[in-house]
Amino acid sequence: CLSCRHFSCYATLSLPGSPLARMSTSTNTPAVNLSSSAANGKYDFAVVGAGRMGASIAGALALSGARVAVYDRSDFDRKKGLEIMRADMRQHENSELISASARLQALDNVFLVESLDEVVKAPLVVEAIFEDLDAKRQLFKSLEEAAAAYPDTVFATNSMNYMSSKIALNTVSATRVHCGVRFLHPVFFIPVVELCSDEEKQPERLPRVAALLE
């Protein structure tokens, strides 16, 4: 994958149930559950960082039928992210790219959560905070502490600049699966997701991550 400058690209995936892929289908088409663990868990995905990119990722996942937990440091930041999603979805509806029912269903799939203890209940956590290595490493460390009872939770970074191993170095357990899960902006119009790793051992553990996204 040419855009994976510092990564080995394990797979390039397209979100199932992508709104653009469903444009020609009936507006009564039911939402698609993306995660095989949906019946056993409260969330399919979690996104940490509710800025423009994080909100776009969460919104795209929710529009695809997934239940998404969204976390940021303050209630203000979380609600701001939700407003970004609402505005984007309203614009898509006005452009006749999605139906009103799809917009409402997607918003019902978004859960603002107040702690990382809630975030790690999702099988896949996507980090989408600002591009600061120290901040990302501190977040992974805090996620690891919160996820002691959830050894199978995968930590992913959406970073275009930092390898997941660099973020995870001395911050997460050696048995924790971590990788790059990179959504491209504008997320709604580019349903392709790059699943990347820079470690030789990680690709052996990544098919389970790919299964969550396929």
Side-chain angles (χ1 to χ4, degrees), residues 4-192:
C4 293
R5 293 169 297 171
H6 308 297
F7 299 80
S8 172
C9 190
Y10 169 78
T12 301
L13 311 168
S14 290
L15 290 179
S18 165
L20 292 181
R22 297 203 311 264
M23 281 174 60
S24 61
T25 65
S26 166
T27 57
N28 294 320
T29 301
V32 179
N33 261 328
L34 296 185
S35 172
S36 59
S37 63
N40 299 319
K42 189 172 182 179
Y43 315 114
D44 299 300
F45 300 96
V47 177
V48 179
R52 161 48 66 186
M53 192 62 186
S56 296
I57 293 170
L61 290 169
L63 278 166
S64 295
R67 295 171 297 179
V68 187
V70 178
Y71 172 83
D72 212 314
R73 293 173 295 181
S74 70
D75 185 57
F76 174 83
D77 290 327
R78 292 188 291 271
K79 289 180 178 178
K80 183 178 178 180
L82 181 60
E83 288 307 310
I84 291 173
M85 286 180 254
R86 283 176 172 158
D88 285 350
M89 291 181 196
R90 176 66 74 179
Q91 183 176 3
H92 299 328
E93 180 187 347
N94 291 341
S95 300
E96 299 184 346
L97 296 174
I98 64 173
S99 66
S101 61
R103 174 178 59 83
L104 294 174
Q105 179 61 59
L107 291 173
D108 282 343
N109 286 340
V110 176
F111 303 86
L112 303 185
V113 299
E114 300 180 356
S115 72
L116 295 180
D117 291 336
E118 196 70 10
V119 165
V120 297
K121 294 178 182 178
L124 176 60
V125 179
V126 180
E127 170 274 307
I129 67 173
F130 52 95
E131 290 290 84
D132 180 275
L133 180 58
D134 289 339
K136 291 177 184 292
R137 296 193 69 212
Q138 181 57 52
L139 173 59
F140 265 39
K141 181 178 180 181
S142 297
L143 285 169
E144 180 65 31
E145 292 170 354
Y150 300 93
D152 293 330
T153 295
V154 177
F155 298 167
T157 178
N158 189 63
S159 177
M160 297 292 287
N161 297 306
Y162 300 112
M163 298 175 286
S164 67
S165 63
K166 196 167 186 178
I167 300 172
L169 182 64
N170 298 325
T171 63
V172 304
S173 166
T175 59
R176 176 79 58 188
V177 177
H178 58 81
C179 60
V181 173
R182 289 166 36 186
F183 295 77
L184 306 178
H185 186 75
V187 179
F188 177 83
F189 294 101
I190 308 177
V192 173

Side-chain angles (χ1 to χ4, degrees), residues 1-2 4 7-12 193-197:
C1 179
L2 293 178
C4 293
F7 299 80
S8 172
C9 190
Y10 169 78
T12 301
V193 181
E194 295 175 348
L195 177 56
C196 305
S197 174

